[in-house]
Structure formats: structure tokens, C-alpha cells
Amino acid sequence: MAKESRKVVQTGNSLSVGLPKSIVEQLNIKRGDEFEIDVKDDQIILNKKRKWEEEFDSEIVEMLAETFEEHEEVFRRLKDR
């Protein structure tokens, strides 16, 4: 990937740097995604935070949903204790 440059712009009380379309597409970045920001030496490091849904196998999530649905009343009573 070729290096690209961007200017820093004022956005309200913050400063912003836009992301190139190629990076947005490569990382599948959507509005509302969150990033962790770190500084190391004189570099800014951005890491896209993974959503919890991406951390679990879809079969496990489906199984949990079915379990909660099956035992909804039990979970409701536990919550109210």
C-alpha cells in the first residue's frame, strides 16, 4: 500500500485526521466503530476495537440465545432477587 498524507483539521474542540478510502474498505470501518489509541515514540497507533459479536463463534451465540429464551422466567426471577 502506498503511503498517503492527510492534513489535521479542526472539528469542534478537537483535531481530526480523515482516513483514506482504501484503509476504510480494507478494515471494513463503519460509522460508530471504536478505536483504541496509543502513542509509542513519535507514532500514533490506532487499533480497531472488535465488537463482542466478533469475539464469539456464531453457534455459541445462537445456543446462548436459545437457552435464555427457554429459561426466560428463571433468569427474570434471578434478576429480581
Side-chain angles (χ1 to χ4, degrees):
M1 176 199 251
K3 287 188 177 183
E4 296 189 42
S5 64
R6 294 288 190 263
K7 286 190 177 188
V8 176
V9 297
Q10 184 83 35
T11 308
N13 290 329
S14 300
L15 298 176
S16 300
V17 176
L19 299 172
K21 184 178 180 181
S22 59
I23 291 175
V24 169
E25 290 173 349
Q26 182 180 348
L27 296 177
N28 193 29
I29 297 171
K30 303 275 189 268
R31 183 179 186 158
D33 284 348
E34 294 184 35
F35 284 80
E36 293 175 334
I37 303 167
D38 196 12
V39 175
K40 187 172 184 175
D41 300 322
D42 61 345
Q43 296 180 341
I44 299 170
I45 302 166
L46 297 175
N47 289 302
K48 184 178 175 187
K49 288 180 72 174
R50 294 180 65 173
K51 295 180 179 156
W52 71 268
E53 298 95 337
E54 296 170 353
E55 299 288 331
F56 297 98
D57 184 318
S58 61
E59 288 181 32
I60 293 173
V61 173
E62 187 176 320
M63 182 187 73
L64 285 170
E66 289 171 3
T67 302
F68 281 115
E69 189 175 310
E70 263 181 59
H71 304 287
E72 180 181 358
E73 185 60 33
V74 173
F75 290 119
R76 184 176 294 123
R77 281 193 235 136
L78 283 172
K79 183 191 92 165
D80 293 339
R81 282 185 145 190

